[in-house]
Amino acid sequence: MSWQNVLSENGYRVSGPRRYVMQLLESNAQPMTPLEIYQALSESGRPLGIVSVYRALELLAELGLVCMVYNPDGSAGYVAGAGGHHHHIVCQNCHRAIAFAGSEDLSSLIQRVEKETKFHVSDHLLQLYGICPDCQKALADAVEEN
Ligand SMILES: [Zn+2]
Ligand SMILES: [Zn+2]
């Protein structure tokens, strides 16, 4: 289902701010902070107030249309969502974020944590870091040249 459909099925208009933010994030593999979104939209001639950017992101995140992803330096940005239960792997070199299906089996880990902490685990936040294929190749080429 397209993001336009998700918005209208939940009773929201496909307003300018929501459309601009979604289109920008869909064209960007790297997570973007609200400030970066604000700046990129101003530069592309679609200026939105920073408050509109935050409001649009809040709604889009609530509907699962955008996800918050953490850069290797710990700063958080948004990427377009992949739908369904999924997680992201982020390249430590170029910061590109790729979604993967969340079909992992965490039950043995969760059981151990519940036993150790006496918590009842209800949710999780999982993200992986690594080096993407393009950066692996670029790094290998750089080593060869030396
Ligand atoms: Zn990379
Ligand atoms: Zn998961």
Side-chain angles (χ1 to χ4, degrees), residues 30 90-96 130-136 139:
Q30 276 90 359
V90 177
C91 179
Q92 288 165 303
N93 191 53
C94 69
H95 296 187
R96 175 191 323 196
I131 304 292
C132 76
D134 286 352
C135 288
Q136 287 174 36
L139 295 170

Side-chain angles (χ1 to χ4, degrees), residues 69-88:
V69 165
Y70 294 87
N71 284 309
D73 67 4
S75 69
Y78 288 89
V79 293
H85 183 172
H86 70 280
H87 301 287
H88 289 90

Side-chain angles (χ1 to χ4, degrees), residues 87-144:
H87 301 287
H88 289 90
I89 181 161
V90 177
C91 179
Q92 288 165 303
N93 191 53
C94 69
H95 296 187
R96 175 191 323 196
I98 306 287
F100 61 91
S103 54
E104 73 283 346
D105 183 4
L106 299 178
S107 50
S108 65
L109 173 67
I110 289 173
Q111 268 177 25
R112 200 191 80 209
V113 171
E114 286 188 330
K115 207 173 157 206
E116 282 176 17
T117 64
K118 310 271 186 285
F119 271 57
H120 181 232
V121 174
S122 51
D123 205 354
H124 62 269
L125 178 65
L126 175 70
Q127 190 188 300
L128 302 180
Y129 293 104
I131 304 292
C132 76
D134 286 352
C135 288
Q136 287 174 36
K137 191 173 178 308
L139 295 170
D141 289 350
V143 169
E144 266 170 38

